[in-house]
Amino acid sequence: MSEGCRIEVRGTVQGVGFRPWVYRLARRAGLAGRVWNHSEGVTIEAFGGAGSLESFVQWLRDDTPASARIRELRLSKIPPELAEDFVIEPSEGVGARALSIPPDLATCNKCEEEVLDPNDRRYRYPFTNCTECGPRFTITTDIPYDRSATTMHDFALCPSCEREFHDVMDRRFHAQPNACPECGPKLSLCEPDGTETICDDPLATAVGLLRGGAIVAIKGLGGFHLACDASDAPVVRKLRARKHRDEKPFAVMARDLAVARSLANLTTEEELLLSSQERPIVLVERRPDAPLAAEVAPESPVLGLFLPYTPLHHLLLREVDRPLVMTSANIAGEPICKDNAEAIARLGGIADVLLVHDRDIAMRCDDSVARVIAGKATVMRRSRGFVPRPFQLKESVDRPVLACGAHLKNTFCIAVEDTAYFGPHIGDLETLAAMEFFEEAVDRMQTILSVEPEVVTHDLHPGYLSTRYAKARGGAETIGVQHHHAHVVSAMAEHGLRGPVLGIAYDGTGYGNDGTAWGGELLLCFTGHFRRLATFRPIKLPGGNLAMREVWRVALSLLHDAFSGDAPIDEFPLFQRIPDESIRVVTQMIDRHLNAPQAHGVGRYFDAVGALVLNRPDSTFEGQVAVALNVIADVTERASYPFEIDRTGAVEIIDLRPMVRAVVEDVMRGVAASTISAKFHNTLIGATGAVVRGLAEVIGQPPVVLTGGVFQNPILTQGVLAELQNEFECFTHSRVPPGDGGLALGQVLIANAIVAEGSTPCA
Ligand code: ZN
Ligand code: ZN
Ligand code: FE
């Protein structure tokens, strides 16, 4: 007795070998029927005996392919048909929306083996892939995900590849980017002026050049990298000089885990993260004896390390046989280069040679960055390997929402019904090129999701380009969201919390409801509204944004405040490096409140104390001095400095002036910087604990969430958790970045709640 069953599958089920797998299961169960892709997922109609259907469904649930994510399996009974065979039907065209394009997938073991096997027809072929690995999001131009809607559509399959593509028993059955040396993309080598270098083997030539100390621009999955031998100090210095990147660390790619272990002290969690399918850059502790040029990450024990994720990387790293610097190829402030012509125009002055190919990149996608914080893998930049993987929301949004994110480290987010999709990492929205990338990426995500956002949400800061974009877009309701509220709600979304929660949002800066720069905030939060309960005593920033770079200004301001206008600058070698005239002018700015806006950011305290203790007048990139202060902390030091909490106002104020005075005493007594740094961290942890406990007496004991860029600091995160988790249920970030790269998710939910409730965002 034959029965019929329709199975609707939702999740990441396209481009991951899902239909062939269903086909094989159906054959194994002896069922007839069909399976097809459409814009919402995959539908299966199966016919056969009740027992066979039952085992088929059981296998579907239990044995899902590694790269697929089944979010929903919906079964319904349909009339049996007299079908004879099980078939894969062509994809259906664009429907309501598409939710199932997978992220780019790191090369699988089988493909890696083939590429390294001299007897395989794909030996040393850099574009080898299969249904379980290869490019996806970055080659997709439209939906549904089929070869014709990717940048592979111009490459006609050769007979061998064609056979694989149509053979259900082959692991390349319906692998849309399938290719081989006969029919697929090819490498070539270019001079900086764009002329092609004539050579038999561009890969071998590039390897020789890299070993000889050249800088090579390499076209990857989501854009170009600039590569050079990471053990060769002169070439790393040359790359720094040409890229005008003075001190910011470069990421290093190691050929495998064994080499990674020789470069860094790795924990089990870090090894898992390094070899995870997303293959992020992982921030790890560099070994003192690592065979790396000091110039890779000047003065920093933290190393950004990652493993190969394309066959081209595997081949390069093996043949060069040294770790390579692999840094995003861009001009400062601009997005990563993706097209050959663009790379030649923009990188010609940096690279000695360009290793390019003829498969176009449809969508830029930078490498992701992650770190193990308090024992937990935490994404700090969510991009290649993650995008456009859906993020499941606890509650649906009423109307499609586009959240434009923040200003620095921008990432946007689009939510439809109960799912949110982060876009790729855009970077700092400070140049026209970055803004163009933002708009291009938003358009592309709208296309592949087939959605037109009806609500557009942005940061409260009126000057941000993302804010201006939101307001200029038209055709949608726009809603401004407070920065730290968005941070807290992004963490709530990650853990399915509805509020109330006590949000501890510590970062560098974010526009406050009162127009001042917030950034050390304790907020009582619900999704749609919040109340500011406590903050840090503000520091004046003489020169405004200039004080973010010239951190000695913040240091002077901090001393001036703690010593009532009589800053003991003679005690610090830092100020001997600053011209007297500059000190005089800045002191006047502080005294007379001239161009010296108030800032509450915890990041500013890190900058100021770091400048004083490390004798560092300038921060050449965001967070440089703060991270330098963090990494030297002597974690065995238990002592801390005094602080006060002013509970007289409507918002409690954490006053660290007693700490600043004690830091000065320590410096005068010649206490080691590593000890002062540890005591500073301990003070922030202790002050946070004290203020939270005080607030709990009034508001009860809601769950506590830690969020904001400062919680990328493992010592602080671990310390605050240890301080609070016995009394409070504490939540930290993991899949959503704690910094501004995760902000857009909070913006989505707040805007949706404001629209739904008509609630006021703050009190
Ligand atoms: Zn593969
Ligand atoms: Zn072929
Ligand atoms: Fe922030």
Side-chain angles (χ1 to χ4, degrees), residues 50 127 131 165 172 269 315 367 390 426 490 557 651 674 691 740-741:
F127 305 96
T131 50
F165 190 87
R172 294 197 167 89
E269 287 86 3
L315 293 164
D367 291 315
I426 307 285
S490 75
S557 177
V651 176
S674 56
V691 78
D740 286 0

Side-chain angles (χ1 to χ4, degrees), residues 121-122 156-162 164 178-184:
R121 74 186 189 95
R122 288 189 173 85
L157 292 163
C158 71
S160 308
C161 288
E162 181 92 42
E164 293 166 344
N178 189 23
C180 79
E182 282 302 305
C183 65

Side-chain angles (χ1 to χ4, degrees), residues 108 111 129-130 133 171:
C108 72
C111 286
N129 65 81
C130 71
C133 78
R171 63 190 194 84

Side-chain angles (χ1 to χ4, degrees), residues 406 483-484 487 506-510 708-709 738-740 743:
H483 189 94
H484 302 94
H487 270 309
Y506 290 173
D507 66 1
T509 187
D740 286 0
L743 199 79

Side-chain angles (χ1 to χ4, degrees), residues 63-281:
D63 194 25
T64 318
S67 316
R69 299 264 188 295
I70 296 185
R71 187 155 56 80
E72 194 184 339
L73 255 185
R74 241 188 354 249
L75 308 180
S76 53
K77 242 182 138 80
I78 52 171
E81 285 180 25
L82 284 173
E84 292 197 343
D85 211 346
F86 197 89
V87 292
I88 297 178
E89 292 196 334
S91 298
E92 265 177 23
V94 185
R97 63 204 161 82
L99 304 173
S100 44
I101 291 165
D104 300 285
L105 306 165
T107 308
C108 72
N109 294 338
K110 282 183 190 150
C111 286
E112 191 188 337
E113 278 166 25
E114 284 183 1
V115 167
L116 300 175
D117 176 2
N119 298 316
D120 194 277
R121 74 186 189 95
R122 288 189 173 85
Y123 178 54
R124 291 182 84 243
Y125 183 59
F127 305 96
T128 302
N129 65 81
C130 71
T131 50
E132 300 212 344
C133 78
R136 298 291 188 270
F137 173 68
T138 53
I139 57 165
T140 301
T141 52
D142 207 348
I143 48 158
Y145 175 74
D146 262 334
R147 191 176 179 98
S148 61
T150 71
T151 57
M152 285 299 292
H153 76 276
D154 285 338
F155 297 92
L157 292 163
C158 71
S160 308
C161 288
E162 181 92 42
R163 212 174 306 120
E164 293 166 344
F165 190 87
H166 292 290
D167 175 2
V168 284
M169 300 320 279
D170 194 280
R171 63 190 194 84
R172 294 197 167 89
F173 178 62
H174 284 204
Q176 304 299 340
N178 189 23
C180 79
E182 282 302 305
C183 65
K186 287 181 178 48
L187 285 177
S188 56
L189 213 55
C190 278
E191 300 295 321
D193 65 4
T195 48
E196 192 177 335
T197 314
I198 306 303
C199 62
D200 294 340
D201 188 339
L203 179 63
T205 311
V207 166
L209 288 165
L210 282 165
R211 289 182 62 92
I215 297 170
V216 183
I218 299 170
K219 190 175 186 178
L221 265 188
F224 277 74
H225 285 111
L226 285 161
C228 71
D229 180 347
S231 61
D232 178 350
V235 73
V236 181
R237 260 200 305 276
K238 187 164 71 177
L239 177 57
R240 282 204 179 277
R242 290 193 192 165
K243 220 189 161 199
H244 303 296
R245 182 151 158 166
D246 293 340
E247 286 159 28
K248 206 169 177 177
F250 287 136
V252 170
M253 189 178 270
R255 78 175 234 185
D256 52 30
L257 217 42
V259 173
R261 287 184 193 118
S262 74
L263 303 179
N265 295 314
L266 301 176
T267 63
T268 312
E269 287 86 3
E270 285 165 342
E271 292 191 358
L272 283 172
L273 197 49
L274 274 171
S275 31
S276 66
Q277 197 172 38
E278 294 85 4
R279 293 286 156 104
I281 295 170

Side-chain angles (χ1 to χ4, degrees), residues 35-46:
V35 54
W36 71 96
N37 267 349
H38 47 82
S39 57
E40 290 185 36
V42 166
T43 300
I44 306 163
E45 289 179 348

Side-chain angles (χ1 to χ4, degrees), residues 426-474:
I426 307 285
D428 302 347
L429 291 182
E430 297 205 303
T431 61
L432 184 64
M435 206 54 220
E436 282 170 0
F437 174 30
F438 174 89
E439 292 184 27
E440 167 195 328
V442 169
D443 288 347
R444 176 59 51 82
M445 284 296 273
Q446 286 182 200
T447 303
I448 65 173
L449 297 172
S450 300
V451 68
E452 185 61 42
E454 293 171 27
V455 176
V456 176
T457 162
H458 56 84
D459 195 271
L460 276 188
H461 199 300
Y464 285 179
L465 290 180
S466 51
T467 303
R468 291 192 206 153
Y469 166 85
K471 292 193 165 154
R473 224 183 105 101

